Amino acid sequence: MSDHQSTSLRPATPADLDAVLAFWKTAAEGTSISDDRDGVERLVARDPQALILAERDGELVGTVIAGFDGWRCSLYRLAVHPDHRRQGISRALLAAAEERFTALGGRRGDAMVLDANDTAHPAWRAAGYAPEPQWSRWVKPLAH
């Protein structure tokens, strides 16, 4: 049931970061240790094309982080505003991320998706992603 609005995609700029952080509180599942202005500012400064925004009529409606370290293609923070879901926004964001990865020489997109985020699983599967149950995420917080 699309409302046929056009969605424009663009990389985030430092001026967008407060809006992005507020958006994630509404649209993203879970939180990250990097969900603060300093963390997102570093991302955009280090890789200005990594944080991709989707907008409709100037309103932020979706995000994805398409991080590439020269070897791995990592996807984070795929989020679509609840009022704009099931309208092709996540598909457009993932297509843009995949185009970026391909242009950089990437071979496989790896996505961080919460096991309990049942809302997101159909979107990831529809885009061709699948869980790999033989892998677990191992983490260690770093002191600052």
Side-chain angles (χ1 to χ4, degrees):
M1 184 190 274
S2 174
D3 59 6
H4 300 295
Q5 289 180 303
S6 68
T7 303
S8 61
L9 303 179
R10 67 176 178 84
T13 68
D16 296 311
L17 301 187
D18 289 333
V20 167
L21 288 164
F23 174 79
W24 286 342
K25 286 186 168 79
T26 301
E29 289 291 322
T31 57
S32 167
I33 198 169
S34 304
D35 279 5
D36 60 25
R37 185 164 177 102
D38 286 346
V40 182
E41 220 164 45
R42 278 191 300 278
L43 168 72
V44 171
R46 183 184 174 281
D47 188 352
Q49 304 297 310
L51 176 51
I52 303 169
L53 307 183
E55 296 176 318
R56 286 192 171 165
D57 299 322
E59 178 191 356
L60 180 59
V61 295
T63 66
V64 70
I65 296 173
F68 184 66
D69 64 9
W71 183 50
R72 296 229 183 210
C73 305
S74 300
L75 294 157
Y76 310 93
R77 281 295 184 230
L78 176 63
V80 174
H81 191 282
D83 295 343
H84 294 274
R85 290 183 180 154
R86 303 194 57 79
Q87 298 173 18
I89 294 169
S90 67
R91 185 170 40 249
L93 285 164
L94 288 174
E98 291 164 6
E99 286 172 24
R100 175 175 203 266
F101 292 152
T102 301
L104 293 169
R107 297 182 189 159
R108 180 187 71 202
D110 292 336
M112 296 292 295
V113 184
L114 290 170
D115 288 342
N117 188 355
D118 295 331
T119 304
H121 296 172
W124 284 104
R125 286 187 195 283
Y129 291 80
E132 289 190 326
Q134 71 272 27
W135 293 98
S136 293
R137 180 178 178 200
W138 292 34
V139 299
K140 176 184 177 183
L142 303 175
H144 283 282

